[in-house]
């Protein structure tokens, strides 16, 4: 969908005469022990003008955290803001995503959020983009000076991280980073009463992939359990999602499943319920189905507000040099009391994205008789891979082993391999090239067994 941009409102001046910016001017005209080396109090008026007219910020996500981010950044003085989100507003969003009203249900989040902010902050140029962030090319992201993300998906964060790292070149011999393509990004996240914010300078500081082990491995279900011995309602939902949907193509050949599409979710619930009845498994509901496929974690509005404030403060610090940036991770814990902790995550020299992590990973199986579906579960649990919809091919021959993503014909052609032994598909010690949209690149995996 085309972007929506309406900057027709009269500009709101950045001057001492305007009460809205009095606090900002006070901070910018007084130096202190925390100011960055390039801070200049006499240049405060120019800094605010640049904040209004020159600096372009992209907010990724317009959900619970994104709504708070848009409000904070707009009121902090950023004059050019873009927001991207692919979702539409659901009734369940209204309790915490305060930019939306009941009359907005069914409308794109990005457009509604942008319109609300535009109406409340005169002179703000805010542009809405409706669509999947992973479908945008790297050069689209290169037009922004700063990116602030309020995503609820680790896969999306990994993709964004890999994209921003790819924009930054480095000398092959000296390793010196070319900073001309560097776009700082601030990542915020919340999970119930816990949250985190971090500042990432691609290729200079620890990237998102460097710290992937800090996150719990996503819940996965063995394909053999889903197909043969389901025991939980979640098994039935996942089977309907990963097996029945690609096979049936209920909404047309090549139409990907969209968990935010009510028709898709209804089909999934009905299909999962039918399978659950077959195995006498109770508990399949529409709410459960949405929770399984979207990996929904309960959200708390106050956590979103605190984390968004931390992210906005870091954005303002980077834009004005009024203080040095966070180094580089802050965690909020509200589960037992309320406390926060700040520390610096370290860059991994062998990081697959920002380091020299081209060394193949080795996966050791119990035997060559292990089925491919079990190998897929192993790859999903591997901390350095965490595949979700992988495509596997043999490095030496190029033979396609598995495709969970891509053209429907290719996906269908490799479906039968799930029940085959690994030794039928790959020689011991052979290399698989693993790609997954979330990883933002390919990984080489050596598969061996005793």
């Amino acid at each position: 969908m085309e972007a929506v941009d309406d900057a027709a409102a009269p500009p709101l001046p950045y001057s001492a005469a305007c009460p809205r910016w009095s606090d900002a001017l006070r901070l910018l005209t007084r130096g202190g022990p925390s100011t960055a080396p390039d801070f200049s109090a006499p240049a405060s008026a120019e800094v605010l003008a640049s904040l209004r007219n020159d600096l372009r910020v992209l907010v990724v996500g317009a959900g619970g955290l994104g709504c708070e981010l848009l409000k904070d950044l707009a009121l902090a003085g950023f004059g050019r803001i873009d927001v991207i989100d692919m979702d539409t507003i659901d009734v369940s969003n209204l309790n915490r995503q305060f930019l939306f009203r009941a009359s907005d249900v069914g409308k794109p989040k990005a457009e509604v959020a942008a319109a609300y902010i535009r109406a409340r902050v005169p002179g703000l140029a805010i542009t809405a983009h409706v669509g999947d962030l992973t479908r945008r090319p790297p050069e689209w992201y290169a037009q922004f000076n700063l990116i602030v993300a309020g995503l609820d998906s680790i896969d999306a964060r990994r993709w964004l991280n890999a994209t921003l790292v790819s924009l930054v070149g480095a000398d092959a011999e000296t390793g010196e980073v070319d900073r001309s393509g560097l776009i700082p990004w601030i990542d915020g996240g919340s999970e119930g009463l816990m949250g985190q914010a971090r500042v990432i300078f691609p290729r200079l500081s620890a990237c998102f992939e460097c710290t992937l082990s800090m996150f719990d491995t996503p819940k996965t279900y063995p394909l053999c359990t889903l197909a043969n011995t389901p025991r939980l309602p979640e098994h039935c939902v996942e089977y309907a999602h990963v097996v029945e949907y690609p096979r049936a193509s209920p909404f047309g050949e090549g139409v990907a499943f969209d968990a935010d599409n009510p028709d898709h979710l209804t089909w999934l619930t009905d299909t999962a319920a039918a399978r659950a009845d077959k195995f006498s498994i109770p508990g399949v509901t529409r709410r459960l189905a949405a929770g399984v496929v979207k990996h929904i974690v309960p959200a708390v509005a106050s956590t979103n507000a605190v984390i968004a404030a931390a992210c906005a403060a870091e954005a303002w610090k980077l834009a004005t040099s009024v203080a040095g940036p966070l180094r580089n991770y802050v965690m909020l814990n509200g589960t037992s009391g309320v406390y926060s902790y700040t520390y610096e995550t370290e860059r991994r020299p062998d990081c697959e994205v920002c380091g020299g992590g081209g060394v193949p990973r080795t996966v050791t199986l119990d035997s060559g008789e292990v089925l491919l579906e079990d190998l897929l579960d192993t790859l999903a649990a591997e901390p350095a891979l965490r595949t979700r919809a992988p495509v596997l091919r043999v490095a030496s021959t190029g033979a396609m082993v598995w495709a969970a993503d891509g053209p429907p014909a290719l996906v269908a052609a490799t479906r039968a391999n799930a029940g085959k032994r690994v030794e039928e598909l790959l020689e011991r010690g052979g290399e698989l090239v693993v790609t997954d949209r979330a990883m933002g690149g390919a990984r080489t995996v050596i598969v061996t067994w005793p």
Side-chain angles (χ1 to χ4, degrees), residues 60-147:
V60 184
L65 194 54
C67 286
E68 293 280 356
L69 285 170
L70 288 168
K71 177 258 295 180
D72 289 348
L73 293 170
L75 295 178
F78 289 91
R80 300 180 66 197
I81 300 175
D82 290 64
V83 55
I84 182 170
D85 196 296
M86 66 182 294
D87 291 342
T88 55
I89 299 164
D90 185 75
V91 172
S92 63
N93 302 147
L94 302 181
N95 71 329
R96 65 193 180 280
Q97 298 176 21
F98 62 92
L99 299 183
F100 309 138
R101 302 292 180 266
S103 58
D104 298 323
V105 170
K107 299 177 183 178
K109 287 185 177 181
E111 291 183 357
V112 175
Y116 191 98
I117 293 294
R118 186 183 301 119
R120 294 298 297 269
V121 184
L124 176 68
I126 184 165
T127 305
H129 306 272
V130 180
D132 186 346
L133 79 156
T134 67
R135 302 300 183 187
R136 303 277 175 165
E139 54 268 22
W140 186 79
Y141 291 92
Q143 65 185 310
F144 301 103
N145 305 103
L146 181 63
I147 292 177

Side-chain angles (χ1 to χ4, degrees), residues 297-322:
V297 176
V300 176
S302 58
T303 306
N304 286 335
V306 173
I307 296 303
C311 292
E314 292 306 316
W316 207 74
K317 286 156 62 176
L318 289 174
T320 65
S321 299
V322 73

Side-chain angles (χ1 to χ4, degrees), residues 187-234:
D187 172 55
S190 67
E191 183 173 318
L193 294 172
M194 300 183 67
Q196 56 82 24
R198 71 177 77 196
V199 177
I200 297 174
F201 296 95
R203 292 197 186 276
L204 294 181
S205 64
C207 77
F208 188 85
E209 200 80 15
C210 288
T211 59
L212 193 60
S213 60
M214 297 168 59
F215 296 90
D216 293 334
T217 302
K219 179 66 174 177
T220 59
Y221 304 102
L223 283 174
C224 53
T225 299
L226 300 181
N228 302 315
T229 56
R231 299 181 300 278
L232 301 172
E234 290 85 353

Side-chain angles (χ1 to χ4, degrees), residues 342-385:
T342 303
Y343 62 95
E344 184 170 3
T345 57
E346 296 184 358
R347 187 182 177 198
R348 277 198 298 117
D350 63 341
C351 174
E352 294 81 3
V353 174
C354 74
V359 179
R361 298 274 169 176
T362 299
V363 172
T364 303
L365 305 177
D366 293 336
S367 73
E369 296 184 357
V370 169
L371 301 182
L372 176 63
E373 59 190 9
D374 297 317
L375 174 59
L376 293 172
D377 294 333
T378 300
L379 297 178
E382 172 64 34
L385 298 173

Side-chain angles (χ1 to χ4, degrees), residues 129-168:
H129 306 272
V130 180
D132 186 346
L133 79 156
T134 67
R135 302 300 183 187
R136 303 277 175 165
E139 54 268 22
W140 186 79
Y141 291 92
Q143 65 185 310
F144 301 103
N145 305 103
L146 181 63
I147 292 177
V148 188
L151 293 163
D152 58 2
S153 165
I154 290 178
D155 294 346
R157 286 185 175 103
R158 293 180 71 189
W159 186 92
L160 180 61
N161 177 73
T163 297
L164 296 182
V165 169
S166 72
L167 294 174
V168 183

